[in-house]
Amino acid sequence: MDRQRIDKWLWHARVVRTRSAAAALAASGHVRINGERIDAPSRAVRPADVVTVALDRSVRVLKVTGFAERRGGPDSTPALWEDLTPPAPPHKSAPAAPGLRAAGEGRPTKRERRAIDRLQGDDDD
């Protein structure tokens, strides 16, 4: 096999869960082959093609290295592609102002709440 439909390859490579989802992704223009946006799930990919897929809030860049006749398990998918996705830049969080908590740190403890009240001048004592 020297080529395969993009929707079939995306499904075999386990980039998406279903083949219909792969076809919808390709038809919506969220897939590029060698930098060229495609709009048909029937577009063929060949070995050494670079496929760029926009999924949710991330972009994956995959180089086609092979094809499969049948969809295999997750351990067989690395034989189909090579990941060229650049690493995400490290997340820099701004230092929190006094009395403010960083996002995701939950509710303040009783001790922290009293310290915040003292800082803001809301003492009832």
Side-chain angles (χ1 to χ4, degrees), residues 5-22:
R5 288 173 55 115
I6 186 65
D7 62 338
K8 205 170 181 182
W9 186 84
L10 289 171
W11 181 58
H12 284 175
R14 293 189 173 264
V15 176
V16 292
R17 287 186 178 193
T18 63
R19 186 163 171 198
S20 60

Side-chain angles (χ1 to χ4, degrees), residues 1-119:
M1 217 178 355
D2 64 336
R3 62 186 168 171
Q4 192 171 38
R5 288 173 55 115
I6 186 65
D7 62 338
K8 205 170 181 182
W9 186 84
L10 289 171
W11 181 58
H12 284 175
R14 293 189 173 264
V15 176
V16 292
R17 287 186 178 193
T18 63
R19 186 163 171 198
S20 60
L25 191 67
S28 65
H30 293 292
V31 179
R32 293 174 182 251
I33 298 176
N34 296 327
E36 180 185 336
R37 182 175 287 189
I38 63 166
D39 58 355
S42 62
R43 176 74 189 271
V45 290
R46 292 176 172 74
D49 281 350
V50 176
V51 177
T52 306
V53 183
L55 293 169
D56 296 328
R57 292 192 170 124
S58 65
V59 175
R60 293 185 67 185
V61 181
L62 306 171
K63 182 178 180 183
V64 179
T65 58
F67 303 112
E69 289 288 328
R70 305 183 80 182
R71 187 174 194 224
D75 54 336
S76 66
T77 59
L80 302 180
W81 49 267
E82 176 185 341
D83 195 6
L84 302 177
T85 306
H91 180 67
K92 294 182 182 179
S93 61
L100 296 179
R101 301 178 65 78
E105 288 192 12
R107 295 177 56 179
T109 62
K110 192 175 206 177
R111 173 185 266 176
E112 292 170 336
R113 184 180 47 78
R114 288 180 177 162
I116 292 169
D117 288 344
R118 271 195 307 280
L119 183 68

